[in-house]
Amino acid sequence: MKGFVPVFRKELYGMFMSPIFYVVAFFFLLVSGVFFNYILSQVVMASFQLAQHPELGRDFSMMELFLRSFLWNLAIVMLFVAPLLTMRLYAEERKSGTIELLYTYPVTDIATVTAKFAACLTTFVVLLAATLPGVIAVGLASEPAWKLIACGYMGLFLLGCSFLALGIFASTLTRNQIISSIITFAVSLILWFLGEAKSSAGPVAGSILEYVSVSKHFEGLSKGLIDSRDILFYLVFSILFLFLSLRQMSSYRWRG
């Protein structure tokens, strides 16, 4: 992949120098902090109530309840964050005309797509890592659940890969960043709730809808359960949309 490193450095620099990143980071950390405090206060209150009735809280795990709720809320916030991180990657270059200049460099299309994805994913990991200290602090203050934390954050990482790959593909379809973000959010939202249509569809169609739903594959990981089928789904999903992005940009190159 000739040219991967220069494009990766350029995109990563552009990410951290863009005011959009700091707006997204502020939004993400603010909302995740609000969810963190609210969920933790509710779980602590529930644990105090159950302490008065030990027979009811025999199987109650404060850490597990807190983590599952917090992880699900973070996953929902990612529906809004991913479009904002990816909307400029190709749309801005096509609008400004710098994409033609990129074609003149000795950089392959696959190196460009993967470098943009890697830079965007690095930025996302930085945001995700910023939520870890609070979770670790809660884990140290209660019964440790390191496996659940590891599985949950691995699920968020894989889910983020999927949303970002989808966002990059949406960015290749238009010159308008707003339209790109709307496409990414709309498709992500549909894929998130697709499994809910299982009950209104037939048994075969319902099974397909449930499997395609990205939220259903996150469910097991949020419980600390590692299933190779869930991991494979996210990997194939990400590779598919990166491949579609590659084909889209290759078509622009040949059309001039």
Side-chain angles (χ1 to χ4, degrees), residues 31-183:
V31 175
S32 62
V34 170
F35 282 137
F36 181 90
N37 289 322
Y38 175 76
I39 295 170
L40 183 60
S41 63
Q42 293 298 310
V43 171
V44 171
M45 187 180 301
S47 66
F48 282 141
Q49 293 174 351
L50 288 174
Q52 300 174 2
H53 306 280
E55 68 281 358
L56 299 178
R58 190 173 304 163
D59 298 324
F60 177 79
S61 172
M62 185 185 80
M63 187 61 182
E64 182 177 346
L65 179 61
F66 163 76
L67 269 178
R68 289 189 60 187
S69 300
F70 182 61
L71 291 172
W72 272 101
N73 280 280
L74 275 185
I76 293 174
V77 175
M78 284 163 50
L79 288 170
F80 300 89
V81 171
L84 298 176
L85 290 178
T86 58
M87 64 181 185
R88 55 167 288 277
L89 290 179
Y90 276 110
E92 184 181 38
E93 290 204 37
R94 291 186 60 204
K95 183 178 181 180
S96 63
T98 56
I99 191 70
E100 283 78 11
L101 182 61
L102 182 63
Y103 287 153
T104 64
Y105 293 154
V107 181
T108 61
D109 289 336
I110 189 172
T112 303
V113 172
T114 53
K116 287 178 177 289
F117 175 72
C120 199
L121 185 60
T122 301
T123 307
F124 171 74
V125 169
V126 170
L127 295 177
L128 198 60
T131 66
L132 264 175
V135 173
I136 294 175
V138 174
L140 294 175
S142 61
E143 66 277 11
W146 306 122
K147 180 184 176 182
L148 183 56
I149 294 175
C151 289
Y153 272 83
M154 180 176 69
L156 290 176
F157 174 79
L158 293 171
L159 189 62
C161 287
S162 302
F163 287 156
L164 295 177
L166 171 61
I168 290 176
F169 175 63
S171 186
T172 65
L173 299 176
T174 177
R175 298 174 184 268
N176 191 302
Q177 298 184 43
I178 304 300
I179 295 177
S180 172
S181 63
I182 292 175
I183 293 174

